[in-house]
Amino acid sequence: MEINIPTYVSSVVEKLEAAGFEAYIVGGCVRDALLLKTPYDYDVTTSAVPHEVKTALDSYKIIETGIKHGTVTVWSEGNPIEITTYRCDGEYTDHRRPDSVKLTDKLSDDLCRRDFTVNAMAYSEKRGLVDLFGGKIDLENRIIRCVGDAEKRFEEDALRIMRGLRFAATLDFEIEEATALAIKNKCHLLDFVSAERIAVELTKLLCGKAAAKILTEYSYVICHIIPELKAAIGLDQKNPHHIYDVYTHTVKVIDATPPVPALRFAALFHDIAKPKMMTIDQKGVGHFYGHPKESAIMAKDIMRRLKIDNKTIDKVCRLVKLHDVRPEANRRALKKYLAKYPDVDTDEIMAIRRADLAAQNPIYHHQFSYLDESERIINEIKKAGCCLTVSALTVNGHDIAELGAKGKQIGDILNKLLCDVVEDKIANEKNALIKRAKQLIK
Ligand code: ATP
Ligand code: MG
C-alpha cells in the first residue's frame, strides 16, 4: 500500500531521515489519504527533538509554534507542516490537557496517545504504514474506536467525545460499542472543555453528511451542551403539519439544509422555543405563536455562550426569526418582503424554508410549488434591479430638505416614498417623487 505524499512534504521527511532520524506523516493526513481524500494539511512526527529538527531543516523557515510540546512549524514551498517530536503525555488532571508531555524516541509511544485508531497511523515512503491499533481495518469497516481504554481516554481529555461524534458525522462511520458506552458514561466531563473547542467540533458535526444519525443517536450529548433542546425531545406538536416531535423534526431540517455552518445552526435553533411557546386550542390542536422570535432570542443566548462569532450569530438569528414568514407568491408582496428585510439572504432563507417544509407532514409538500414560485419571482425582482431600499430612490435627504422638511420628517418621507415605489404606486423617477414628497410635506 502506497500513499502519494506531495513533494513539499516528502522533501522535509527525507531531509530528517537523511540526518539520521525517523520521520513519518501521521494522524488525519494518513486517515484521509487512505480514504482517497486529499488531506488539507500534513502533520509529521519524528524522533528528532526540536533543535535537531531545526538543524536538519536549516534552509527552511521554521516557527516554534509549540516548543513545550515538541512542535515546530516548517514552511515548505509556501505550505506549513507541523513537525512534532515523538511524545507521550503525562498525567491528565483537568480532563482536557496533559499536565506535562515527555519527548520519547519511540513511535509507538506517540501513536498510543492519539485519540482514535483511524487517527493513530503513521506512514513513511521508506518504512510504509505503521498501524498498531487496527486503524486501517477500522477505516475499511467505517468504525470510530478509541485507542486503548475508551473511558480512560475520555477521562483524560473530554474533547475527544466531541471529536468522536464529529468524525462519525463527517465520515459517516459507526461508533464502536465500548467507545459509544464510554461517551455515555463520560459525557458530563464535557463541562471541563472550553466553549470554543466544543463549538468548533459541534460546527463540523452539524455539517457532516451523517449529522442526522449522530444527532439522533447521541441527542443526550447535544442536550448536555445545549440543555435548551431537551424539551424538544419527544414533544408531540399536536398539529396536522407535523408528524414528528420537535427534536426529530429539527434533525430532519438539519439533514435537508445545505451543509453550511450558519444554515445548519439556523436549522438547529429554528424551533427551539416551540416547547416554551406551545398552546393547545379547544380542538386539541397545538400552536406555537411567536416561536420564531423567541427561538432567535434563545439562539443568540446559546451561541454567545458557545463563543460563536458575532457575524454567524447575526446571520443565524436573522434566519431563525424569518423562517416562518410566508409572503404571498406575487410580485407586490415579495417586493414588500424584500424591502422589509433588506439584510436577509434570500437563497439562505429559501433553503431553510424548503428544509422546514421537507421535514413536515408530506400531505403539505404541495407547498413546494409555492416556494418555487416565490423563488422565481424573487429572482425576477432582483434581476430587474427593482428599488427596494431608501438609498436606491432617485431622491435623497438633501432633495427632501430643500422642499422644507426637517429632521425626522426627512426620513419619514423617504420611507413613505419607498413604500409607494415598492408597491408600484409610483415610479422611481425623480420628478414624480418630488411631486409626491411635496404633497406629503403639506
Ligand atoms: P482534521 O481533518 O480535522 O484536521 P485531524 O485528525 O487531522 O482531523 P487534528 O486536530 O488536526 O485532527 O489533529 C491531528 C492528529 O492529532 C489527530 O489525527 C490525532 O492523531 C491527534 N489528536 C488531535 N487531537 C487529539 C486529542 N484531543 N486527543 C488525542 N489525539 C489527538
Ligand atoms: Mg489535521
Side-chain angles (χ1 to χ4, degrees):
M1 193 241 14
E2 236 176 69
I3 292 177
N4 242 333
I5 307 176
T7 52
Y8 82 88
V9 182
S10 58
S11 58
V12 163
V13 170
E14 275 161 27
K15 282 231 161 59
L16 288 166
E17 292 270 356
F21 304 105
E22 292 173 9
Y24 296 83
I25 60 166
V26 70
C29 59
V30 178
R31 176 198 69 222
D32 288 346
L34 292 177
L35 287 171
L36 306 178
K37 289 198 234 173
T38 311
Y40 55 78
D41 56 12
Y42 284 83
D43 295 324
V44 168
T45 187
T46 177
S47 59
V49 296
H51 78 264
E52 292 169 332
V53 173
K54 280 161 83 178
T55 310
L57 301 174
D58 60 353
S59 59
Y60 291 79
K61 182 175 138 194
I62 298 188
I63 301 167
E64 295 185 357
T65 36
I67 213 80
K68 223 173 76 197
H69 298 104
T71 305
V72 297
T73 301
V74 173
W75 286 85
S76 178
E77 296 174 28
N79 302 290
I81 307 173
E82 272 204 355
I83 303 188
T84 305
T85 309
Y86 297 160
R87 61 172 229 225
C88 28
D89 294 335
E91 234 195 294
Y92 285 78
T93 47
D94 67 354
H95 304 296
R96 177 63 194 99
R97 285 179 195 290
D99 300 339
S100 61
V101 302
K102 205 173 84 209
L103 303 187
T104 114
D105 54 7
K106 284 216 290 290
L107 174 64
S108 57
D109 286 341
D110 189 83
L111 295 180
C112 58
R113 74 173 170 89
R114 293 174 184 272
D115 48 7
F116 303 105
T117 59
V118 295
N119 287 346
M121 290 179 278
Y123 176 84
S124 94
E125 276 163 354
K126 195 163 141 193
R127 301 164 207 267
L129 186 73
V130 181
D131 174 16
L132 306 178
F133 309 104
K136 190 160 174 279
I137 289 181
D138 282 345
L139 262 191
E140 281 160 13
N141 293 329
R142 308 176 74 79
I143 285 172
I144 296 296
R145 181 198 313 267
C146 279
V147 171
D149 181 81
E151 297 221 351
K152 192 162 155 266
R153 304 312 308 281
F154 293 143
E155 245 167 58
E156 289 172 352
D157 176 3
L159 179 65
R160 292 171 187 155
I161 293 174
M162 286 307 292
R163 283 176 57 87
L165 298 190
R166 182 257 283 198
F167 287 120
T170 53
L171 300 171
D172 192 5
F173 279 21
E174 291 295 328
I175 299 178
E176 172 269 336
E177 211 179 311
T179 303
L181 187 63
I183 289 177
K184 189 155 196 200
N185 292 338
K186 300 298 168 187
C187 174
H188 59 281
L189 296 177
L190 280 170
D191 294 348
F192 290 89
V193 182
S194 74
E196 290 91 336
R197 296 307 301 265
I198 288 185
V200 166
E201 298 302 333
L202 178 63
T203 307
K204 291 182 183 171
L205 188 171
L206 283 176
C207 293
K209 57 181 177 229
K213 190 176 88 185
I214 296 302
L215 292 169
T216 303
E217 288 175 14
Y218 295 88
S219 57
Y220 61 89
V221 178
I222 306 307
C223 291
H224 190 86
I225 302 167
I226 306 172
E228 292 90 336
L229 276 169
K230 265 188 215 158
I233 295 180
L235 184 79
D236 179 356
Q237 309 200 47
K238 298 188 188 306
N239 184 298
H241 284 272
H242 289 284
I243 50 175
Y244 305 114
D245 67 89
V246 176
Y247 188 81
T248 307
H249 166 75
T250 296
V251 169
K252 286 185 183 290
V253 176
I254 292 169
D255 202 32
T257 299
V260 175
L263 294 181
R264 292 260 162 132
F265 270 114
L268 179 68
F269 293 131
H270 80 289
D271 277 353
I272 195 165
K274 268 192 167 179
K276 199 158 126 186
M277 306 304 279
M278 185 171 190
T279 53
I280 297 172
D281 68 19
Q282 284 162 340
K283 291 185 186 140
V285 177
H287 300 282
F288 306 91
Y289 302 116
H291 82 274
K293 196 170 159 210
E294 191 60 26
S295 293
I297 292 171
M298 291 173 72
K300 189 171 191 170
D301 232 46
I302 296 163
M303 287 187 286
R304 282 205 171 145
R305 199 169 71 214
L306 288 171
K307 310 262 166 58
I308 287 170
D309 65 284
N310 287 335
K311 203 173 144 206
T312 305
I313 294 181
D314 288 348
K315 177 172 270 199
V316 171
C317 290
R318 239 184 345 253
L319 292 169
V320 171
K321 213 152 111 188
L322 293 189
H323 81 266
D324 214 21
V325 176
R326 302 170 208 186
E328 278 179 49
N330 63 57
R331 193 179 133 91
R332 190 152 169 260
L334 286 166
K335 275 177 75 186
K336 273 171 84 168
Y337 170 80
L338 294 174
K340 189 166 175 191
Y341 305 111
D343 294 336
V344 71
D345 180 316
T346 49
D347 290 340
E348 291 178 345
I349 193 69
M350 291 311 281
I352 295 290
R353 293 181 63 204
R354 276 182 193 287
D356 196 9
L357 182 57
Q360 290 179 11
N361 189 341
I363 64 167
Y364 291 97
H365 283 183
H366 59 273
Q367 290 177 6
F368 276 117
S369 60
Y370 148 74
L371 291 178
D372 291 342
E373 182 63 358
S374 303
E375 204 159 20
R376 188 188 65 74
I377 298 171
I378 286 173
N379 288 335
E380 235 174 57
I381 294 169
K382 286 189 167 170
K383 206 163 150 202
C386 293
C387 168
L388 298 168
T389 58
V390 164
S391 60
L393 288 169
T394 51
V395 291
N396 60 27
H398 290 295
D399 300 322
I400 307 300
E402 272 179 17
L403 301 176
K406 288 197 179 64
K408 185 176 169 294
Q409 194 189 11
I410 297 173
D412 290 346
I413 287 174
L414 285 170
N415 281 325
K416 280 193 184 131
L417 293 177
L418 178 64
C419 280
D420 287 351
V421 169
V422 167
E423 290 186 29
D424 291 328
K425 287 185 186 160
I426 190 170
N428 185 18
E429 191 267 307
K430 189 156 185 174
N431 289 337
L433 293 181
I434 295 281
K435 197 170 148 200
R436 177 84 182 109
K438 280 180 185 165
Q439 288 168 353
L440 289 167
I441 290 168
K442 264 191 213 154

